[in-house]
Amino acid sequence: MLKIKNGKLIGSNMAFALPEDFKLDLKMPGGQYHMLQFESAKRVLKGCKIVIDVEFEEAELTAKEAMEEFIEDCELKLCGEFKPITRGKGTAIAAHIKGTEGYSDYYEERYDFAPNSLKQNQVTVSIYLMPNKGQKLKKSVFDALSLPNVKAFLDSVEYF
């Protein structure tokens, strides 16, 4: 469960501000995780929309192992290496991930924490681009990360 305080959503393991100018898509994925998904307007970046996912999960693998499994299972490519990223009092691992050429470009952070009341012990923050129908991506996720509202969202994230 998330509490709202001073314009932030606060859980037992993280806090973050809602991303400005994004729509909240209320999806109920089921399983042993909960997700909030935010989508930009189509014309924020030419030819694509930006999606931000915040996923809380009961994970059996560490954040790094889970990210490696995700990359392998989805036939994605790790660009560079996993890097530590500190937000608030916690350090997550971050990665730049690409999918099939021209169809997906991700920035992802995963953070391990002590199990909460829902037995969740991991949170993932993903920012990725989705090309407009019938098009390939011509932008990079780094174009999205440099936008003021996306940067402000990431700067608001705190792991604890």
Side-chain angles (χ1 to χ4, degrees):
M1 182 172 292
L2 298 172
K3 171 173 78 171
I4 301 169
K5 185 174 181 179
N6 297 326
K8 283 188 146 186
L9 294 177
I10 302 169
S12 63
N13 41 39
M14 77 171 304
F16 60 94
L18 296 172
E20 290 289 326
D21 300 322
F22 277 72
K23 299 179 289 184
L24 174 59
D25 187 356
L26 298 174
K27 292 188 176 187
M28 295 300 293
Q32 296 191 352
Y33 66 96
H34 295 92
M35 182 188 320
L36 295 172
Q37 186 172 78
F38 303 94
E39 295 182 3
S40 72
K42 288 187 177 184
R43 292 193 173 92
V44 173
L45 284 178
K46 188 176 180 179
C48 62
K49 69 179 173 182
I50 304 165
V51 180
I52 299 173
D53 288 343
V54 179
E55 180 182 317
F56 302 89
E57 180 178 8
E58 180 183 340
E60 295 178 9
L61 303 174
T62 66
K64 185 174 188 260
E65 292 167 342
M67 197 179 292
E68 288 170 335
E69 183 177 85
F70 169 71
I71 291 168
E72 183 178 326
D73 288 352
C74 296
E75 298 180 5
L76 303 172
K77 178 185 173 200
L78 178 64
C79 301
E81 297 181 16
F82 295 109
K83 297 180 180 173
I85 182 97
T86 300
R87 299 194 187 278
K89 295 178 183 174
T91 300
I93 60 163
H96 176 215
I97 305 165
K98 284 195 177 237
T100 307
E101 190 61 39
Y103 292 102
S104 60
D105 196 12
Y106 295 81
Y107 170 78
E108 186 167 294
E109 295 178 6
R110 288 190 191 225
Y111 177 68
D112 290 314
F113 52 86
N116 63 18
S117 62
L118 298 173
K119 299 181 182 172
Q120 296 164 333
N121 60 347
Q122 198 170 98
V123 66
T124 304
V125 175
S126 303
I127 298 173
Y128 57 97
L129 304 181
M130 297 293 294
N132 291 342
K133 192 173 184 174
Q135 295 183 5
K136 287 189 175 185
L137 282 176
K138 295 181 176 140
K139 298 286 184 177
S140 162
V141 72
F142 294 104
D143 294 316
L145 295 175
S146 69
L147 294 173
N149 54 346
V150 175
K151 185 175 177 349
F153 165 76
L154 280 174
D155 288 346
S156 79
V157 172
E158 294 178 74
Y159 301 114
F160 40 84

Short mmCIF file of all heavy atoms in Angstrom, two decimals, residues 98-160:
data_model
loop_
_atom_site.label_atom_id
_atom_site.label_comp_id
_atom_site.label_asym_id
_atom_site.label_seq_id
_atom_site.Cartn_x
_atom_site.Cartn_y
_atom_site.Cartn_z
N LYS A 98 18.76 -2.78 -24.39
CA LYS A 98 18.12 -2.64 -25.70
C LYS A 98 17.49 -3.95 -26.12
O LYS A 98 18.00 -5.02 -25.82
CB LYS A 98 19.13 -2.22 -26.76
CG LYS A 98 19.50 -0.76 -26.67
CD LYS A 98 20.20 -0.31 -27.93
CE LYS A 98 20.48 1.17 -27.82
NZ LYS A 98 19.91 1.92 -28.88
N GLY A 99 16.40 -3.82 -26.86
CA GLY A 99 15.73 -4.99 -27.41
C GLY A 99 16.01 -5.08 -28.89
O GLY A 99 16.99 -4.54 -29.39
N THR A 100 15.12 -5.76 -29.58
CA THR A 100 15.24 -5.90 -31.02
C THR A 100 15.47 -4.54 -31.64
O THR A 100 14.81 -3.56 -31.28
CB THR A 100 13.95 -6.52 -31.60
OG1 THR A 100 13.69 -7.73 -30.89
CG2 THR A 100 14.07 -6.79 -33.08
N GLU A 101 16.42 -4.46 -32.53
CA GLU A 101 16.82 -3.18 -33.14
C GLU A 101 15.61 -2.35 -33.56
O GLU A 101 14.77 -2.79 -34.31
CB GLU A 101 17.71 -3.44 -34.35
CG GLU A 101 18.37 -2.19 -34.89
CD GLU A 101 19.29 -1.50 -33.88
OE1 GLU A 101 19.99 -2.21 -33.12
OE2 GLU A 101 19.30 -0.27 -33.85
N GLY A 102 15.55 -1.16 -32.99
CA GLY A 102 14.51 -0.22 -33.37
C GLY A 102 13.19 -0.38 -32.67
O GLY A 102 12.25 0.35 -32.96
N TYR A 103 13.08 -1.32 -31.70
CA TYR A 103 11.78 -1.53 -31.09
C TYR A 103 11.73 -1.34 -29.58
O TYR A 103 10.65 -1.21 -29.02
CB TYR A 103 11.22 -2.91 -31.45
CG TYR A 103 10.87 -2.99 -32.91
CD1 TYR A 103 11.70 -3.63 -33.81
CD2 TYR A 103 9.73 -2.37 -33.40
CE1 TYR A 103 11.40 -3.68 -35.16
CE2 TYR A 103 9.42 -2.41 -34.75
CZ TYR A 103 10.26 -3.06 -35.63
OH TYR A 103 9.96 -3.09 -36.96
N SER A 104 12.85 -1.33 -28.89
CA SER A 104 12.80 -1.06 -27.45
C SER A 104 14.15 -0.57 -26.95
O SER A 104 15.19 -0.99 -27.43
CB SER A 104 12.36 -2.29 -26.66
OG SER A 104 13.25 -3.36 -26.86
N ASP A 105 14.07 0.37 -26.02
CA ASP A 105 15.25 0.96 -25.41
C ASP A 105 14.87 1.27 -23.97
O ASP A 105 13.92 2.02 -23.73
CB ASP A 105 15.66 2.21 -26.18
CG ASP A 105 17.08 2.67 -25.87
OD1 ASP A 105 17.84 1.92 -25.26
OD2 ASP A 105 17.40 3.81 -26.27
N TYR A 106 15.58 0.68 -22.98
CA TYR A 106 15.21 0.76 -21.58
C TYR A 106 16.31 1.37 -20.73
O TYR A 106 17.49 1.14 -20.97
CB TYR A 106 15.04 -0.65 -20.97
CG TYR A 106 13.95 -1.50 -21.50
CD1 TYR A 106 14.10 -2.20 -22.69
CD2 TYR A 106 12.77 -1.67 -20.78
CE1 TYR A 106 13.11 -3.05 -23.16
CE2 TYR A 106 11.78 -2.51 -21.25
CZ TYR A 106 11.95 -3.19 -22.43
OH TYR A 106 10.97 -4.02 -22.88
N TYR A 107 15.88 2.04 -19.66
CA TYR A 107 16.74 2.33 -18.53
C TYR A 107 16.02 1.70 -17.34
O TYR A 107 14.81 1.89 -17.16
CB TYR A 107 16.88 3.84 -18.30
CG TYR A 107 17.57 4.15 -16.98
CD1 TYR A 107 18.94 4.04 -16.86
CD2 TYR A 107 16.83 4.50 -15.87
CE1 TYR A 107 19.57 4.29 -15.64
CE2 TYR A 107 17.45 4.76 -14.65
CZ TYR A 107 18.82 4.65 -14.55
OH TYR A 107 19.44 4.88 -13.35
N GLU A 108 16.75 0.91 -16.55
CA GLU A 108 16.10 0.21 -15.45
C GLU A 108 16.94 0.26 -14.19
O GLU A 108 18.17 0.17 -14.26
CB GLU A 108 15.86 -1.25 -15.87
CG GLU A 108 15.04 -2.03 -14.87
CD GLU A 108 14.56 -3.35 -15.43
OE1 GLU A 108 13.73 -3.33 -16.36
OE2 GLU A 108 15.02 -4.39 -14.94
N GLU A 109 16.25 0.43 -13.06
CA GLU A 109 16.87 0.35 -11.74
C GLU A 109 16.12 -0.72 -10.94
O GLU A 109 14.89 -0.78 -10.99
CB GLU A 109 16.73 1.67 -10.98
CG GLU A 109 17.46 2.81 -11.60
CD GLU A 109 17.27 4.13 -10.84
OE1 GLU A 109 16.66 4.15 -9.74
OE2 GLU A 109 17.74 5.14 -11.38
N ARG A 110 16.87 -1.55 -10.22
CA ARG A 110 16.26 -2.55 -9.33
C ARG A 110 16.91 -2.41 -7.97
O ARG A 110 18.11 -2.22 -7.85
CB ARG A 110 16.44 -3.98 -9.84
CG ARG A 110 15.58 -4.25 -11.03
CD ARG A 110 15.58 -5.72 -11.37
NE ARG A 110 14.97 -5.91 -12.67
CZ ARG A 110 14.08 -6.85 -12.95
NH1 ARG A 110 13.71 -7.70 -12.03
NH2 ARG A 110 13.58 -6.95 -14.15
N TYR A 111 16.06 -2.55 -6.96
CA TYR A 111 16.50 -2.35 -5.58
C TYR A 111 15.96 -3.48 -4.71
O TYR A 111 14.77 -3.78 -4.73
CB TYR A 111 16.00 -0.99 -5.09
CG TYR A 111 16.34 -0.70 -3.65
CD1 TYR A 111 17.65 -0.49 -3.27
CD2 TYR A 111 15.35 -0.62 -2.69
CE1 TYR A 111 17.98 -0.22 -1.95
CE2 TYR A 111 15.66 -0.34 -1.36
CZ TYR A 111 16.98 -0.14 -1.00
OH TYR A 111 17.31 0.12 0.30
N ASP A 112 16.85 -4.12 -3.94
CA ASP A 112 16.47 -5.14 -2.96
C ASP A 112 16.24 -4.48 -1.61
O ASP A 112 16.96 -3.56 -1.24
CB ASP A 112 17.60 -6.16 -2.79
CG ASP A 112 17.79 -7.06 -4.00
OD1 ASP A 112 16.79 -7.57 -4.52
OD2 ASP A 112 18.95 -7.25 -4.41
N PHE A 113 15.24 -4.96 -0.87
CA PHE A 113 14.96 -4.44 0.47
C PHE A 113 14.38 -5.56 1.33
O PHE A 113 14.03 -6.62 0.81
CB PHE A 113 14.01 -3.23 0.43
CG PHE A 113 12.74 -3.47 -0.35
CD1 PHE A 113 11.63 -4.04 0.25
CD2 PHE A 113 12.66 -3.12 -1.68
CE1 PHE A 113 10.47 -4.26 -0.46
CE2 PHE A 113 11.50 -3.33 -2.41
CZ PHE A 113 10.40 -3.91 -1.79
N ALA A 114 14.27 -5.33 2.61
CA ALA A 114 13.68 -6.31 3.52
C ALA A 114 12.20 -6.47 3.15
O ALA A 114 11.54 -5.50 2.80
CB ALA A 114 13.82 -5.85 4.96
N PRO A 115 11.67 -7.68 3.22
CA PRO A 115 10.26 -7.90 2.86
C PRO A 115 9.31 -6.99 3.65
O PRO A 115 9.48 -6.81 4.85
CB PRO A 115 10.02 -9.38 3.20
CG PRO A 115 11.39 -10.00 3.14
CD PRO A 115 12.34 -8.92 3.61
N ASN A 116 8.33 -6.44 2.94
CA ASN A 116 7.32 -5.61 3.59
C ASN A 116 6.12 -6.47 3.99
O ASN A 116 6.18 -7.70 3.91
CB ASN A 116 6.92 -4.43 2.68
CG ASN A 116 6.28 -4.87 1.37
OD1 ASN A 116 5.82 -6.00 1.22
ND2 ASN A 116 6.26 -3.97 0.40
N SER A 117 5.02 -5.85 4.38
CA SER A 117 3.85 -6.60 4.84
C SER A 117 3.22 -7.45 3.74
O SER A 117 2.50 -8.40 4.03
CB SER A 117 2.81 -5.65 5.43
OG SER A 117 2.36 -4.74 4.43
N LEU A 118 3.48 -7.13 2.48
CA LEU A 118 2.98 -7.93 1.36
C LEU A 118 4.01 -8.95 0.88
O LEU A 118 3.85 -9.56 -0.17
CB LEU A 118 2.59 -7.01 0.19
CG LEU A 118 1.47 -6.01 0.46
CD1 LEU A 118 1.29 -5.07 -0.72
CD2 LEU A 118 0.17 -6.75 0.75
N LYS A 119 5.10 -9.08 1.63
CA LYS A 119 6.22 -9.98 1.32
C LYS A 119 7.01 -9.53 0.09
O LYS A 119 7.79 -10.29 -0.47
CB LYS A 119 5.75 -11.42 1.15
CG LYS A 119 5.11 -12.00 2.40
CD LYS A 119 4.70 -13.42 2.19
CE LYS A 119 4.01 -13.95 3.45
NZ LYS A 119 3.43 -15.24 3.23
N GLN A 120 6.80 -8.29 -0.33
CA GLN A 120 7.57 -7.75 -1.45
C GLN A 120 8.95 -7.37 -0.96
O GLN A 120 9.09 -6.82 0.14
CB GLN A 120 6.85 -6.53 -2.04
CG GLN A 120 5.52 -6.90 -2.64
CD GLN A 120 4.63 -5.71 -2.89
OE1 GLN A 120 4.72 -4.69 -2.22
NE2 GLN A 120 3.74 -5.83 -3.86
N ASN A 121 9.96 -7.68 -1.77
CA ASN A 121 11.34 -7.42 -1.36
C ASN A 121 12.19 -6.81 -2.47
O ASN A 121 13.40 -6.78 -2.38
CB ASN A 121 11.99 -8.72 -0.86
CG ASN A 121 12.02 -9.79 -1.94
OD1 ASN A 121 11.37 -9.68 -2.97
ND2 ASN A 121 12.77 -10.84 -1.68
N GLN A 122 11.52 -6.35 -3.53
CA GLN A 122 12.26 -5.76 -4.65
C GLN A 122 11.36 -4.76 -5.38
O GLN A 122 10.16 -4.98 -5.51
CB GLN A 122 12.67 -6.87 -5.62
CG GLN A 122 13.77 -6.50 -6.57
CD GLN A 122 14.26 -7.74 -7.29
OE1 GLN A 122 13.85 -7.99 -8.41
NE2 GLN A 122 15.12 -8.52 -6.63
N VAL A 123 11.96 -3.68 -5.80
CA VAL A 123 11.23 -2.71 -6.61
C VAL A 123 12.05 -2.43 -7.87
O VAL A 123 13.28 -2.41 -7.82
CB VAL A 123 10.94 -1.39 -5.83
CG1 VAL A 123 12.21 -0.65 -5.49
CG2 VAL A 123 9.98 -0.51 -6.58
N THR A 124 11.35 -2.27 -8.97
CA THR A 124 11.98 -1.96 -10.26
C THR A 124 11.37 -0.68 -10.79
O THR A 124 10.15 -0.54 -10.84
CB THR A 124 11.74 -3.09 -11.28
OG1 THR A 124 12.22 -4.32 -10.74
CG2 THR A 124 12.42 -2.80 -12.60
N VAL A 125 12.23 0.25 -11.19
CA VAL A 125 11.80 1.47 -11.87
C VAL A 125 12.35 1.36 -13.29
O VAL A 125 13.56 1.26 -13.48
CB VAL A 125 12.34 2.73 -11.18
CG1 VAL A 125 12.00 3.98 -11.98
CG2 VAL A 125 11.79 2.84 -9.76
N SER A 126 11.45 1.33 -14.26
CA SER A 126 11.86 1.21 -15.67
C SER A 126 11.36 2.41 -16.44
O SER A 126 10.22 2.84 -16.26
CB SER A 126 11.25 -0.03 -16.32
OG SER A 126 11.57 -1.19 -15.63
N ILE A 127 12.21 2.92 -17.30
CA ILE A 127 11.81 3.97 -18.23
C ILE A 127 12.17 3.44 -19.61
O ILE A 127 13.31 3.02 -19.84
CB ILE A 127 12.53 5.29 -17.93
CG1 ILE A 127 12.13 5.76 -16.53
CG2 ILE A 127 12.19 6.34 -19.00
CD1 ILE A 127 12.85 6.95 -16.02
N TYR A 128 11.18 3.40 -20.48
CA TYR A 128 11.45 2.89 -21.81
C TYR A 128 10.62 3.62 -22.85
O TYR A 128 9.65 4.30 -22.53
CB TYR A 128 11.25 1.38 -21.88
CG TYR A 128 9.90 0.85 -21.47
CD1 TYR A 128 8.92 0.58 -22.42
CD2 TYR A 128 9.61 0.60 -20.14
CE1 TYR A 128 7.68 0.08 -22.04
CE2 TYR A 128 8.39 0.10 -19.75
CZ TYR A 128 7.42 -0.17 -20.71
OH TYR A 128 6.20 -0.66 -20.33
N LEU A 129 11.04 3.47 -24.09
CA LEU A 129 10.38 4.11 -25.22
C LEU A 129 9.59 3.07 -25.99
O LEU A 129 10.05 1.95 -26.18
CB LEU A 129 11.41 4.75 -26.15
CG LEU A 129 12.36 5.76 -25.51
CD1 LEU A 129 13.30 6.33 -26.58
CD2 LEU A 129 11.60 6.88 -24.83
N MET A 130 8.42 3.47 -26.46
CA MET A 130 7.59 2.62 -27.32
C MET A 130 7.37 3.38 -28.62
O MET A 130 6.85 4.50 -28.62
CB MET A 130 6.23 2.37 -26.66
CG MET A 130 6.30 1.60 -25.36
SD MET A 130 6.85 -0.09 -25.56
CE MET A 130 5.50 -0.78 -26.47
N PRO A 131 7.79 2.78 -29.77
CA PRO A 131 7.61 3.49 -31.03
C PRO A 131 6.13 3.59 -31.39
O PRO A 131 5.31 2.76 -30.99
CB PRO A 131 8.36 2.60 -32.04
CG PRO A 131 8.34 1.24 -31.43
CD PRO A 131 8.36 1.45 -29.94
N ASN A 132 5.78 4.65 -32.12
CA ASN A 132 4.42 4.77 -32.62
C ASN A 132 4.15 3.60 -33.56
O ASN A 132 5.08 3.03 -34.15
CB ASN A 132 4.23 6.09 -33.36
CG ASN A 132 4.26 7.29 -32.42
OD1 ASN A 132 4.10 7.15 -31.20
ND2 ASN A 132 4.49 8.46 -32.96
N LYS A 133 2.90 3.24 -33.70
CA LYS A 133 2.51 2.09 -34.50
C LYS A 133 3.13 2.16 -35.90
O LYS A 133 3.05 3.18 -36.57
CB LYS A 133 0.98 2.04 -34.60
CG LYS A 133 0.46 0.75 -35.16
CD LYS A 133 -1.04 0.69 -35.07
CE LYS A 133 -1.51 -0.66 -35.56
NZ LYS A 133 -2.94 -0.82 -35.35
N GLY A 134 3.76 1.06 -36.29
CA GLY A 134 4.33 0.96 -37.62
C GLY A 134 5.67 1.67 -37.80
O GLY A 134 6.18 1.76 -38.92
N GLN A 135 6.24 2.17 -36.71
CA GLN A 135 7.52 2.89 -36.81
C GLN A 135 8.59 2.19 -35.99
O GLN A 135 8.29 1.38 -35.11
CB GLN A 135 7.36 4.33 -36.32
CG GLN A 135 6.44 5.17 -37.16
CD GLN A 135 6.38 6.61 -36.65
OE1 GLN A 135 7.10 6.99 -35.74
NE2 GLN A 135 5.53 7.40 -37.26
N LYS A 136 9.83 2.50 -36.26
CA LYS A 136 10.95 2.06 -35.44
C LYS A 136 11.42 3.25 -34.61
O LYS A 136 11.20 4.40 -35.00
CB LYS A 136 12.10 1.55 -36.31
CG LYS A 136 11.82 0.21 -36.95
CD LYS A 136 13.06 -0.32 -37.61
CE LYS A 136 12.82 -1.71 -38.14
NZ LYS A 136 14.04 -2.30 -38.70
N LEU A 137 12.07 2.96 -33.51
CA LEU A 137 12.60 4.02 -32.66
C LEU A 137 13.71 4.78 -33.36
O LEU A 137 14.61 4.17 -33.92
CB LEU A 137 13.16 3.44 -31.35
CG LEU A 137 12.16 3.06 -30.29
CD1 LEU A 137 12.88 2.42 -29.11
CD2 LEU A 137 11.35 4.24 -29.83
N LYS A 138 13.62 6.09 -33.27
CA LYS A 138 14.69 6.94 -33.79
C LYS A 138 15.32 7.74 -32.66
O LYS A 138 16.22 8.51 -32.87
CB LYS A 138 14.15 7.85 -34.87
CG LYS A 138 13.68 7.08 -36.07
CD LYS A 138 13.16 7.96 -37.17
CE LYS A 138 12.81 7.08 -38.34
NZ LYS A 138 11.63 7.44 -39.01
N LYS A 139 14.81 7.53 -31.45
CA LYS A 139 15.31 8.21 -30.26
C LYS A 139 15.89 7.19 -29.30
O LYS A 139 15.60 6.00 -29.37
CB LYS A 139 14.17 8.97 -29.56
CG LYS A 139 13.54 10.07 -30.39
CD LYS A 139 14.45 11.24 -30.48
CE LYS A 139 13.80 12.38 -31.24
NZ LYS A 139 14.63 13.56 -31.27
N SER A 140 16.68 7.67 -28.37
CA SER A 140 17.27 6.83 -27.34
C SER A 140 16.56 7.10 -26.01
O SER A 140 16.03 8.20 -25.79
CB SER A 140 18.76 7.18 -27.22
OG SER A 140 19.27 6.73 -25.99
N VAL A 141 16.60 6.13 -25.12
CA VAL A 141 16.04 6.33 -23.80
C VAL A 141 16.74 7.50 -23.11
O VAL A 141 16.15 8.19 -22.27
CB VAL A 141 16.09 5.04 -22.95
CG1 VAL A 141 17.51 4.71 -22.52
CG2 VAL A 141 15.16 5.12 -21.76
N PHE A 142 17.99 7.79 -23.50
CA PHE A 142 18.70 8.92 -22.91
C PHE A 142 18.09 10.26 -23.33
O PHE A 142 18.20 11.24 -22.60
CB PHE A 142 20.19 8.84 -23.24
CG PHE A 142 20.84 7.65 -22.59
CD1 PHE A 142 21.16 6.53 -23.33
CD2 PHE A 142 21.08 7.63 -21.23
CE1 PHE A 142 21.71 5.41 -22.72
CE2 PHE A 142 21.64 6.52 -20.61
CZ PHE A 142 21.96 5.41 -21.37
N ASP A 143 17.41 10.29 -24.48
CA ASP A 143 16.64 11.49 -24.85
C ASP A 143 15.51 11.70 -23.84
O ASP A 143 15.22 12.83 -23.44
CB ASP A 143 16.06 11.36 -26.26
CG ASP A 143 17.13 11.33 -27.34
OD1 ASP A 143 18.08 12.13 -27.27
OD2 ASP A 143 17.02 10.48 -28.26
N ALA A 144 14.87 10.62 -23.44
CA ALA A 144 13.79 10.70 -22.44
C ALA A 144 14.34 11.08 -21.07
O ALA A 144 13.77 11.91 -20.36
CB ALA A 144 13.05 9.38 -22.36
N LEU A 145 15.48 10.48 -20.69
CA LEU A 145 16.05 10.75 -19.37
C LEU A 145 16.49 12.20 -19.22
O LEU A 145 16.61 12.70 -18.10
CB LEU A 145 17.24 9.82 -19.10
CG LEU A 145 16.92 8.33 -19.01
CD1 LEU A 145 18.20 7.52 -18.88
CD2 LEU A 145 15.97 8.04 -17.88
N SER A 146 16.74 12.88 -20.33
CA SER A 146 17.18 14.27 -20.26
C SER A 146 16.01 15.26 -20.19
O SER A 146 16.23 16.44 -19.95
CB SER A 146 18.08 14.61 -21.46
OG SER A 146 17.32 14.60 -22.65
N LEU A 147 14.78 14.78 -20.39
CA LEU A 147 13.62 15.67 -20.30
C LEU A 147 13.41 16.11 -18.85
O LEU A 147 13.54 15.30 -17.93
CB LEU A 147 12.36 14.97 -20.81
CG LEU A 147 12.35 14.63 -22.30
CD1 LEU A 147 11.13 13.78 -22.64
CD2 LEU A 147 12.35 15.91 -23.14
N PRO A 148 13.07 17.37 -18.62
CA PRO A 148 12.93 17.87 -17.24
C PRO A 148 11.95 17.07 -16.37
O PRO A 148 12.26 16.81 -15.20
CB PRO A 148 12.45 19.32 -17.43
CG PRO A 148 12.92 19.70 -18.79
CD PRO A 148 12.88 18.45 -19.61
N ASN A 149 10.81 16.66 -16.92
CA ASN A 149 9.84 15.95 -16.08
C ASN A 149 10.30 14.52 -15.77
O ASN A 149 10.05 14.01 -14.68
CB ASN A 149 8.44 15.96 -16.68
CG ASN A 149 8.37 15.46 -18.10
OD1 ASN A 149 9.38 15.32 -18.80
ND2 ASN A 149 7.17 15.19 -18.57
N VAL A 150 11.00 13.86 -16.68
CA VAL A 150 11.53 12.52 -16.42
C VAL A 150 12.69 12.61 -15.43
O VAL A 150 12.78 11.83 -14.48
CB VAL A 150 11.94 11.81 -17.73
CG1 VAL A 150 12.58 10.46 -17.43
CG2 VAL A 150 10.73 11.65 -18.65
N LYS A 151 13.55 13.58 -15.63
CA LYS A 151 14.67 13.79 -14.71
C LYS A 151 14.15 14.10 -13.30
O LYS A 151 14.66 13.55 -12.31
CB LYS A 151 15.57 14.92 -15.22
CG LYS A 151 16.82 15.13 -14.39
CD LYS A 151 17.72 16.16 -15.00
CE LYS A 151 18.94 16.49 -14.20
NZ LYS A 151 19.09 16.03 -12.88
N ALA A 152 13.13 14.96 -13.21
CA ALA A 152 12.55 15.29 -11.89
C ALA A 152 11.96 14.06 -11.23
O ALA A 152 12.09 13.87 -10.01
CB ALA A 152 11.50 16.38 -12.04
N PHE A 153 11.30 13.21 -12.01
CA PHE A 153 10.76 11.97 -11.45
C PHE A 153 11.89 11.12 -10.86
O PHE A 153 11.82 10.68 -9.71
CB PHE A 153 9.99 11.17 -12.51
CG PHE A 153 9.73 9.75 -12.07
CD1 PHE A 153 8.74 9.47 -11.15
CD2 PHE A 153 10.51 8.71 -12.55
CE1 PHE A 153 8.54 8.16 -10.70
CE2 PHE A 153 10.30 7.41 -12.13
CZ PHE A 153 9.31 7.13 -11.20
N LEU A 154 12.93 10.85 -11.65
CA LEU A 154 14.05 10.03 -11.17
C LEU A 154 14.73 10.66 -9.95
O LEU A 154 15.09 9.96 -9.00
CB LEU A 154 15.07 9.78 -12.27
CG LEU A 154 14.71 8.68 -13.25
CD1 LEU A 154 15.72 8.61 -14.38
CD2 LEU A 154 14.58 7.34 -12.56
N ASP A 155 14.87 11.98 -9.97
CA ASP A 155 15.50 12.66 -8.83
C ASP A 155 14.64 12.57 -7.57
O ASP A 155 15.15 12.69 -6.46
CB ASP A 155 15.76 14.14 -9.16
CG ASP A 155 16.91 14.32 -10.15
OD1 ASP A 155 17.68 13.35 -10.39
OD2 ASP A 155 17.01 15.43 -10.71
N SER A 156 13.32 12.33 -7.74
CA SER A 156 12.42 12.22 -6.58
C SER A 156 12.45 10.83 -5.95
O SER A 156 11.98 10.66 -4.82
CB SER A 156 10.97 12.56 -6.99
OG SER A 156 10.36 11.46 -7.66
N VAL A 157 12.97 9.84 -6.67
CA VAL A 157 12.97 8.46 -6.16
C VAL A 157 13.91 8.36 -4.97
O VAL A 157 15.03 8.85 -5.00
CB VAL A 157 13.39 7.47 -7.27
CG1 VAL A 157 13.58 6.07 -6.70
CG2 VAL A 157 12.37 7.44 -8.40
N GLU A 158 13.41 7.71 -3.92
CA GLU A 158 14.22 7.44 -2.74
C GLU A 158 14.01 5.97 -2.37
O GLU A 158 12.88 5.53 -2.23
CB GLU A 158 13.79 8.28 -1.55
CG GLU A 158 13.99 9.75 -1.69
CD GLU A 158 13.47 10.48 -0.47
OE1 GLU A 158 14.13 10.40 0.58
OE2 GLU A 158 12.41 11.09 -0.58
N TYR A 159 15.10 5.23 -2.23
CA TYR A 159 15.03 3.85 -1.74
C TYR A 159 15.44 3.86 -0.27
O TYR A 159 16.34 4.57 0.12
CB TYR A 159 16.01 2.96 -2.52
CG TYR A 159 15.76 2.92 -4.01
CD1 TYR A 159 16.70 3.44 -4.89
CD2 TYR A 159 14.61 2.37 -4.53
CE1 TYR A 159 16.49 3.40 -6.26
CE2 TYR A 159 14.40 2.33 -5.90
CZ TYR A 159 15.34 2.84 -6.75
OH TYR A 159 15.13 2.82 -8.11
N PHE A 160 14.75 3.08 0.56
CA PHE A 160 15.12 2.97 1.97
C PHE A 160 14.77 1.60 2.53
O PHE A 160 14.20 0.79 1.88
CB PHE A 160 14.52 4.08 2.83
CG PHE A 160 13.11 4.45 2.51
CD1 PHE A 160 12.03 3.74 3.03
CD2 PHE A 160 12.83 5.53 1.67
CE1 PHE A 160 10.72 4.12 2.74
CE2 PHE A 160 11.52 5.91 1.38
CZ PHE A 160 10.47 5.20 1.92
#
